[in-house]
Amino acid sequence: MSRESRTALGLVGVVLTMGALAWAAVPFYNWFCKVTGFGGTTQVAQQASGQVLDQMIRIRFDANVDANLDWTFRPMQTKMDLKIGENGLAFYEAINNSDETITGTASYNVAPEVTGYYFDKIDCFCFSEQTLKPGERVEMPVSFYVDPDLVKDGDAAWVRDITLSYTFHRTEPKQAALDAAPANDVN
């Protein structure tokens, strides 16, 4: 094999490797954030912790809407004081101010970021798309707790005030996207 052929083959290998790494970067980053709580990414739990400490923590609630989504979106309470490990239930309100049916999806995080690993959601409207008809108003619950292991973490043990923040973004409903996709002919 000539030197030019080896160089060309090496370059093709580099390009394929870079493409594979780029393809895997987003799923890997999402997995990393969920596992570590990096960037304030919260955890998902099946049930409450079962252990409740005699230490209080304040949860603040924040809501934002992407500029291209004509919704009003707000927390129905601004804060909640709970014992660490105690299950909390908060509500957010969304109103479609437009004259069209719109689907939105909420992204979320907590601050300070170090608490993401300890903030567990049991049930949340952010786990699925929300479709609102013109003028429709909905109240959406989020059930959560702060893991008692927070007090054992040297970087997070000092935290007694967490902000849970959501931003709603306009999305195409999954079924509509499937309906709009061209059918594959198998002839």
Side-chain angles (χ1 to χ4, degrees):
M1 182 180 276
S2 72
R3 183 176 174 190
E4 290 84 13
S5 296
R6 284 193 307 266
T7 302
L9 190 58
L11 288 174
V12 167
V14 167
V15 168
L16 290 175
T17 301
M18 290 175 69
L21 290 173
W23 174 80
V26 171
F28 178 75
Y29 180 76
N30 287 339
W31 169 82
F32 175 79
C33 289
K34 286 179 183 176
V35 168
T36 65
F38 182 76
T41 302
T42 64
Q43 305 302 301
V44 177
Q46 298 299 315
Q47 61 189 17
S49 74
Q51 178 186 13
V52 178
L53 304 180
D54 198 23
Q55 297 181 44
M56 300 300 290
I57 193 155
R58 174 168 284 167
I59 309 300
R60 296 180 191 277
F61 302 95
D62 178 54
N64 304 283
V65 179
D66 191 286
N68 69 348
L69 183 62
D70 191 13
W71 284 9
T72 300
F73 176 57
R74 69 175 187 87
M76 297 185 73
Q77 62 286 303
T78 57
K79 64 184 181 232
M80 183 181 293
D81 293 325
L82 300 168
K83 290 183 177 181
I84 295 174
E86 181 181 7
N87 191 54
L89 180 63
F91 289 88
Y92 281 76
E93 174 187 56
I95 303 168
N96 181 350
N97 301 314
S98 76
D99 58 358
E100 62 180 313
T101 299
I102 299 175
T103 298
T105 304
S107 60
Y108 53 87
N109 68 352
V110 295
E113 290 181 4
V114 69
T115 61
Y117 185 75
Y118 301 102
F119 196 96
D120 290 271
K121 288 194 236 177
I122 299 167
D123 190 28
C124 181
F125 58 90
C126 61
F127 295 160
S128 60
E129 296 176 332
Q130 305 298 319
T131 301
L132 300 181
K133 295 177 182 167
E136 185 176 5
R137 175 192 171 276
V138 294
E139 292 182 11
M140 301 173 292
V142 57
S143 175
F144 63 92
Y145 67 93
V146 176
D147 190 319
D149 286 343
L150 172 97
V151 301
K152 298 175 188 173
D153 184 325
D155 293 327
W158 58 272
V159 175
R160 291 300 177 269
D161 200 328
I162 298 174
T163 300
L164 174 61
S165 181
Y166 289 96
T167 301
F168 251 105
H169 306 273
R170 185 178 190 134
T171 56
E172 289 299 318
K174 288 184 176 140
Q175 187 58 47
L178 292 174
D179 293 343
N184 292 334
D185 288 332
V186 184
N187 290 337

